[in-house]
Amino acid sequence: MKTTDTNSKSRPKNRLRMMTWSLLFIIISAMVLPLTSYLISTTNSYAQVTDDQNHRANFWRAVREGEAGYSAVTGPEAGVFINNGGQNWRQVRNNLITTYGGWAILASLGLVVLFYLIKGKIRVEAEKSGKTVPRWTLMERTMHWYTAILFIILSITGLSMLFGRAVLIPLLGAEGFAAWASLSISVHNFVGPFFTLGVFAMLLFWVKNNIPNATDFKWIATGGGIIGNAHPSAGKANGGEKVWYWLVILVGLLAVCGSGIVLIGWAAQWGLIDNTRATMQTMHQIHAIAAIIWMIAFFGHAYIGTLGTEGALEGMTTGRVSVEWAKQHHDLWYDEVKDQAADAEELEVSEKQPDVSPT
Ligand code: HEM
């Protein structure tokens, strides 16, 4: 019986000893085992693995550098997981284009207002006879206003996308902006091709008016009567209008509309260009920068066509301009078309009559 007693007392003792040793073993192992990596790193060849032999590092480096892997998604670069160029593009868009472009647009608007305050409207100097001469046909006017209205829609939706985060989120809230931004993108992409047709029509219909000649250089050199008070000679289009026209064609049609057609994916569908991310990033930058230049020039054009010059808008709305306006602003053109002036014969006669005013 005594033996039995001793056994039953020694059992908890043994258990305690086992537990203590086990615990010690676990603690010591937990401290020592991690140190074995040092041992391995100094003895094993694995320690000699350099960066470029580290397969995982190599794998991710290749991914970062844009190497294509396998993907079930189809399309160009579908297997490219990480696109480094995107980061550079974002930097250029969000810092350079948005900041400098935004200031350039505001500065040009400010300049137009300042110019108006200093110079005011350029008036038709001669007394009006009521006689008019045809300047723009219905077709030309329709083409002009069709393009101008689409230009304004594209400017508003384009600017919403470029500056929306900074300007519209504080006004509309994040959800309001999200709804407006998604509508803007759809409208912009839909209207863009129709607008391109309008600009293309301008190229075809107005190129004959806009071939530069020596008169245009003189017009520009004398400030066109806009800066200063000279009345330099001009044909149907003056030097300033020709500059605007070629800007519309080269910056507008080629750079803005051309890059837009790439961005909506049509150029790739027609097999003209690939639509890789690098292409899209470059095209986006060209599109945004050229569109900002175009908008800045447009403020000048719209100002001169409305507030800046008496009688110019009349031509683009009714199709006719006063004879006095035509002589003052486009004398060489007036000489060509004066026969079409209403009551032209009477006008010629009245011009030749001597001054019979009673004095
Ligand atoms: C609200 C906006 C606009 C206004 C008020 C406006 C006004 C005018 C006016 C009054 C003329 C006739 C000038 C003259 O008789 O000598 C004109 C001509 C012209 N406009 Fe506009 N315009 C606007 C927008 C645009 C836009 C967006 C474009 C191009 C995308 C454009 C392209 C042209 C061109 C190329 C001419 C000259 C045609 C030529 O001389 O051959 N206009 N504009």
Side-chain angles (χ1 to χ4, degrees):
M1 286 303 281
K2 207 178 176 185
T3 326
T4 324
D5 273 345
T6 318
N7 275 348
S8 65
K9 271 184 191 167
S10 71
R11 226 179 264 152
K13 261 191 190 170
N14 279 344
R15 209 175 291 151
L16 189 68
R17 201 179 304 131
M18 269 170 64
M19 274 172 60
T20 314
W21 278 113
S22 305
L23 207 66
L24 263 175
F25 179 73
I26 290 169
I27 293 171
I28 290 168
S29 303
M31 289 162 74
V32 170
L33 277 176
L35 300 177
T36 54
S37 62
Y38 288 105
L39 203 64
I40 294 167
S41 71
T42 46
T43 56
N44 197 324
S45 62
Y46 183 74
Q48 314 305 323
V49 171
T50 57
D51 235 15
D52 57 324
Q53 289 167 318
N54 183 336
H55 299 305
R56 282 193 181 185
N58 284 344
F59 174 77
W60 286 107
R61 191 173 300 114
V63 170
R64 261 200 81 78
E65 280 164 9
E67 197 170 298
Y70 168 74
S71 166
V73 179
T74 54
E77 298 178 303
V80 178
F81 193 42
I82 293 181
N83 175 234
N84 266 342
Q87 186 60 16
N88 302 336
W89 166 80
R90 197 172 298 112
Q91 291 287 334
V92 173
R93 178 193 186 273
N94 292 353
N95 299 328
L96 292 177
I97 301 181
T98 322
T99 311
Y100 292 111
W103 285 116
I105 289 175
L106 289 178
S108 66
L109 275 174
L111 271 178
V112 167
V113 173
L114 195 70
F115 189 80
Y116 178 67
L117 293 176
I118 295 171
K119 176 90 185 173
K121 194 179 257 215
I122 298 172
R123 301 274 171 199
V124 178
E125 286 166 7
E127 207 178 306
K128 286 192 190 123
S129 63
K131 295 182 176 69
T132 57
V133 63
R135 182 154 170 81
W136 304 110
T137 63
L138 179 63
M139 222 297 297
E140 287 175 311
R141 282 176 282 146
T142 310
M143 173 177 73
H144 178 268
W145 292 119
Y146 164 89
T147 315
I149 291 166
L150 297 193
F151 180 93
I152 291 166
I153 295 174
L154 287 164
S155 302
I156 293 171
T157 49
L159 289 175
S160 299
M161 287 185 260
L162 197 56
F163 299 106
R165 283 186 160 271
V167 180
L168 295 179
I169 290 184
L171 295 172
L172 304 176
E175 280 181 20
F177 172 65
W180 172 245
S182 94
L183 180 71
S184 292
I185 293 171
S186 306
V187 170
H188 198 85
N189 292 356
F190 181 78
V191 167
F194 289 102
F195 171 71
T196 304
L197 290 179
V199 186
F200 191 69
M202 284 181 167
L203 166 67
L204 297 183
F205 281 86
W206 283 342
V207 69
K208 64 177 187 307
N209 301 340
N210 287 285
I211 310 293
N213 58 38
T215 314
D216 304 322
F217 291 103
K218 274 187 221 141
W219 189 96
I220 293 171
T222 48
I226 299 167
I227 302 164
N229 294 316
H231 288 306
S233 279
K236 172 136 188 185
N238 59 39
E241 284 171 319
K242 288 185 185 179
V243 169
W244 167 238
Y245 175 86
W246 287 110
L247 199 123
V248 167
I249 301 306
L250 298 175
V251 175
L253 187 61
L254 274 187
V256 179
C257 299
S259 58
I261 296 296
V262 176
L263 288 172
I264 56 171
W266 287 10
Q269 277 173 21
W270 298 336
L272 297 175
I273 201 167
D274 57 28
N275 59 352
T276 57
R277 287 163 178 143
T279 307
M280 292 307 212
Q281 283 152 7
T282 310
M283 287 299 155
H284 173 272
Q285 283 165 358
I286 292 174
H287 193 74
I289 295 169
I292 289 173
I293 295 172
W294 198 2
M295 275 182 250
I296 289 173
F298 161 73
F299 296 140
H301 171 71
Y303 165 74
I304 294 170
T306 52
L307 278 180
T309 323
E310 182 186 2
L313 190 60
E314 213 176 290
M316 212 27 115
T317 48
T318 66
R320 299 183 76 88
V321 288
S322 74
V323 160
E324 294 72 25
W325 184 92
K327 281 188 196 168
Q328 182 172 327
H329 294 290
H330 297 271
D331 54 347
L332 303 178
W333 169 73
Y334 176 71
D335 286 343
E336 287 167 25
V337 296
K338 62 181 172 213
D339 294 342
Q340 299 169 36
D343 301 323
E345 279 163 29
E346 200 186 314
L347 169 80
E348 290 306 308
V349 173
S350 70
E351 271 180 352
K352 281 172 200 150
Q353 276 173 356
D355 188 0
V356 286
S357 54
T359 38

PDB file of all heavy atoms in Angstrom, residues 209-219 235 237 242 332:
ATOM      1  N   ASN A 209      -9.538  80.733 -98.980  1.00  0.00           N
ATOM      2  CA  ASN A 209      -9.491  82.090 -98.392  1.00  0.00           C
ATOM      3  C   ASN A 209      -8.222  82.320 -97.580  1.00  0.00           C
ATOM      4  O   ASN A 209      -7.952  83.443 -97.184  1.00  0.00           O
ATOM      5  CB  ASN A 209     -10.632  82.304 -97.384  1.00  0.00           C
ATOM      6  CG  ASN A 209     -12.005  82.128 -97.988  1.00  0.00           C
ATOM      7  OD1 ASN A 209     -12.149  82.211 -99.198  1.00  0.00           O
ATOM      8  ND2 ASN A 209     -12.995  81.905 -97.146  1.00  0.00           N
ATOM      9  N   ASN A 210      -7.536  81.239 -97.247  1.00  0.00           N
ATOM     10  CA  ASN A 210      -6.522  81.344 -96.199  1.00  0.00           C
ATOM     11  C   ASN A 210      -5.098  81.023 -96.625  1.00  0.00           C
ATOM     12  O   ASN A 210      -4.263  80.714 -95.791  1.00  0.00           O
ATOM     13  CB  ASN A 210      -6.934  80.432 -95.019  1.00  0.00           C
ATOM     14  CG  ASN A 210      -8.097  81.036 -94.264  1.00  0.00           C
ATOM     15  OD1 ASN A 210      -7.931  81.988 -93.521  1.00  0.00           O
ATOM     16  ND2 ASN A 210      -9.286  80.492 -94.487  1.00  0.00           N
ATOM     17  N   ILE A 211      -4.840  81.116 -97.914  1.00  0.00           N
ATOM     18  CA  ILE A 211      -3.452  80.933 -98.375  1.00  0.00           C
ATOM     19  C   ILE A 211      -2.696  82.218 -98.037  1.00  0.00           C
ATOM     20  O   ILE A 211      -3.097  83.300 -98.478  1.00  0.00           O
ATOM     21  CB  ILE A 211      -3.402  80.669 -99.910  1.00  0.00           C
ATOM     22  CG1 ILE A 211      -4.378  79.563-100.333  1.00  0.00           C
ATOM     23  CG2 ILE A 211      -1.980  80.397-100.391  1.00  0.00           C
ATOM     24  CD1 ILE A 211      -4.073  78.163 -99.843  1.00  0.00           C
ATOM     25  N   PRO A 212      -1.626  82.130 -97.244  1.00  0.00           N
ATOM     26  CA  PRO A 212      -0.928  83.353 -96.820  1.00  0.00           C
ATOM     27  C   PRO A 212      -0.273  84.089 -97.995  1.00  0.00           C
ATOM     28  O   PRO A 212       0.157  83.460 -98.959  1.00  0.00           O
ATOM     29  CB  PRO A 212       0.145  82.846 -95.857  1.00  0.00           C
ATOM     30  CG  PRO A 212      -0.189  81.433 -95.572  1.00  0.00           C
ATOM     31  CD  PRO A 212      -1.011  80.926 -96.700  1.00  0.00           C
ATOM     32  N   ASN A 213      -0.234  85.425 -97.916  1.00  0.00           N
ATOM     33  CA  ASN A 213       0.472  86.225 -98.929  1.00  0.00           C
ATOM     34  C   ASN A 213       1.131  87.437 -98.247  1.00  0.00           C
ATOM     35  O   ASN A 213       0.975  87.616 -97.031  1.00  0.00           O
ATOM     36  CB  ASN A 213      -0.473  86.646-100.062  1.00  0.00           C
ATOM     37  CG  ASN A 213      -1.648  87.436 -99.533  1.00  0.00           C
ATOM     38  OD1 ASN A 213      -1.496  88.240 -98.610  1.00  0.00           O
ATOM     39  ND2 ASN A 213      -2.818  87.210-100.090  1.00  0.00           N
ATOM     40  N   ALA A 214       1.808  88.251 -99.046  1.00  0.00           N
ATOM     41  CA  ALA A 214       2.593  89.363 -98.477  1.00  0.00           C
ATOM     42  C   ALA A 214       1.697  90.341 -97.713  1.00  0.00           C
ATOM     43  O   ALA A 214       2.105  90.901 -96.684  1.00  0.00           O
ATOM     44  CB  ALA A 214       3.330  90.083 -99.596  1.00  0.00           C
ATOM     45  N   THR A 215       0.452  90.540 -98.185  1.00  0.00           N
ATOM     46  CA  THR A 215      -0.472  91.473 -97.515  1.00  0.00           C
ATOM     47  C   THR A 215      -0.702  91.040 -96.060  1.00  0.00           C
ATOM     48  O   THR A 215      -0.824  91.877 -95.171  1.00  0.00           O
ATOM     49  CB  THR A 215      -1.832  91.474 -98.266  1.00  0.00           C
ATOM     50  OG1 THR A 215      -1.558  91.566 -99.651  1.00  0.00           O
ATOM     51  CG2 THR A 215      -2.721  92.582 -97.823  1.00  0.00           C
ATOM     52  N   ASP A 216      -0.757  89.725 -95.850  1.00  0.00           N
ATOM     53  CA  ASP A 216      -1.024  89.225 -94.488  1.00  0.00           C
ATOM     54  C   ASP A 216       0.132  89.560 -93.548  1.00  0.00           C
ATOM     55  O   ASP A 216      -0.096  89.876 -92.378  1.00  0.00           O
ATOM     56  CB  ASP A 216      -1.223  87.701 -94.510  1.00  0.00           C
ATOM     57  CG  ASP A 216      -2.333  87.308 -95.457  1.00  0.00           C
ATOM     58  OD1 ASP A 216      -3.333  88.046 -95.520  1.00  0.00           O
ATOM     59  OD2 ASP A 216      -2.184  86.284 -96.152  1.00  0.00           O
ATOM     60  N   PHE A 217       1.367  89.471 -94.076  1.00  0.00           N
ATOM     61  CA  PHE A 217       2.514  89.789 -93.215  1.00  0.00           C
ATOM     62  C   PHE A 217       2.494  91.259 -92.829  1.00  0.00           C
ATOM     63  O   PHE A 217       2.792  91.613 -91.687  1.00  0.00           O
ATOM     64  CB  PHE A 217       3.825  89.368 -93.889  1.00  0.00           C
ATOM     65  CG  PHE A 217       3.943  87.865 -93.974  1.00  0.00           C
ATOM     66  CD1 PHE A 217       3.710  87.196 -95.164  1.00  0.00           C
ATOM     67  CD2 PHE A 217       4.240  87.118 -92.831  1.00  0.00           C
ATOM     68  CE1 PHE A 217       3.775  85.815 -95.227  1.00  0.00           C
ATOM     69  CE2 PHE A 217       4.309  85.727 -92.885  1.00  0.00           C
ATOM     70  CZ  PHE A 217       4.076  85.073 -94.085  1.00  0.00           C
ATOM     71  N   LYS A 218       2.107  92.113 -93.803  1.00  0.00           N
ATOM     72  CA  LYS A 218       2.008  93.552 -93.497  1.00  0.00           C
ATOM     73  C   LYS A 218       0.907  93.773 -92.472  1.00  0.00           C
ATOM     74  O   LYS A 218       1.040  94.582 -91.554  1.00  0.00           O
ATOM     75  CB  LYS A 218       1.685  94.342 -94.779  1.00  0.00           C
ATOM     76  CG  LYS A 218       2.929  94.701 -95.563  1.00  0.00           C
ATOM     77  CD  LYS A 218       2.575  95.641 -96.725  1.00  0.00           C
ATOM     78  CE  LYS A 218       3.357  95.241 -97.959  1.00  0.00           C
ATOM     79  NZ  LYS A 218       2.615  95.337 -99.209  1.00  0.00           N
ATOM     80  N   TRP A 219      -0.198  93.051 -92.637  1.00  0.00           N
ATOM     81  CA  TRP A 219      -1.339  93.173 -91.706  1.00  0.00           C
ATOM     82  C   TRP A 219      -0.871  92.840 -90.283  1.00  0.00           C
ATOM     83  O   TRP A 219      -1.164  93.580 -89.339  1.00  0.00           O
ATOM     84  CB  TRP A 219      -2.453  92.219 -92.144  1.00  0.00           C
ATOM     85  CG  TRP A 219      -3.745  92.401 -91.401  1.00  0.00           C
ATOM     86  CD1 TRP A 219      -4.816  93.139 -91.789  1.00  0.00           C
ATOM     87  CD2 TRP A 219      -4.103  91.820 -90.134  1.00  0.00           C
ATOM     88  NE1 TRP A 219      -5.815  93.072 -90.854  1.00  0.00           N
ATOM     89  CE2 TRP A 219      -5.408  92.266 -89.820  1.00  0.00           C
ATOM     90  CE3 TRP A 219      -3.461  90.978 -89.222  1.00  0.00           C
ATOM     91  CZ2 TRP A 219      -6.079  91.895 -88.653  1.00  0.00           C
ATOM     92  CZ3 TRP A 219      -4.117  90.614 -88.052  1.00  0.00           C
ATOM     93  CH2 TRP A 219      -5.410  91.071 -87.786  1.00  0.00           C
ATOM     94  N   GLY A 235      -7.566  90.858 -97.677  1.00  0.00           N
ATOM     95  CA  GLY A 235      -8.482  90.191 -98.600  1.00  0.00           C
ATOM     96  C   GLY A 235      -9.677  89.648 -97.811  1.00  0.00           C
ATOM     97  O   GLY A 235      -9.994  90.166 -96.745  1.00  0.00           O
ATOM     98  N   ALA A 237      -9.959  87.015 -95.947  1.00  0.00           N
ATOM     99  CA  ALA A 237      -9.486  86.752 -94.583  1.00  0.00           C
ATOM    100  C   ALA A 237      -8.246  87.600 -94.362  1.00  0.00           C
ATOM    101  O   ALA A 237      -7.399  87.696 -95.252  1.00  0.00           O
ATOM    102  CB  ALA A 237      -9.157  85.279 -94.422  1.00  0.00           C
ATOM    103  N   LYS A 242      -6.145  84.245 -90.797  1.00  0.00           N
ATOM    104  CA  LYS A 242      -5.396  83.135 -91.401  1.00  0.00           C
ATOM    105  C   LYS A 242      -4.591  82.390 -90.337  1.00  0.00           C
ATOM    106  O   LYS A 242      -4.483  81.163 -90.379  1.00  0.00           O
ATOM    107  CB  LYS A 242      -4.485  83.648 -92.518  1.00  0.00           C
ATOM    108  CG  LYS A 242      -5.287  84.067 -93.744  1.00  0.00           C
ATOM    109  CD  LYS A 242      -4.428  84.477 -94.907  1.00  0.00           C
ATOM    110  CE  LYS A 242      -5.305  85.009 -96.042  1.00  0.00           C
ATOM    111  NZ  LYS A 242      -4.535  85.447 -97.207  1.00  0.00           N
ATOM    112  N   LEU A 332      -9.464  94.865 -99.822  1.00  0.00           N
ATOM    113  CA  LEU A 332      -9.144  94.177-101.081  1.00  0.00           C
ATOM    114  C   LEU A 332     -10.282  93.228-101.476  1.00  0.00           C
ATOM    115  O   LEU A 332     -10.636  93.107-102.643  1.00  0.00           O
ATOM    116  CB  LEU A 332      -7.829  93.393-100.951  1.00  0.00           C
ATOM    117  CG  LEU A 332      -6.606  94.242-100.542  1.00  0.00           C
ATOM    118  CD1 LEU A 332      -5.376  93.366-100.386  1.00  0.00           C
ATOM    119  CD2 LEU A 332      -6.351  95.337-101.588  1.00  0.00           C
TER     120      LEU A 332
END
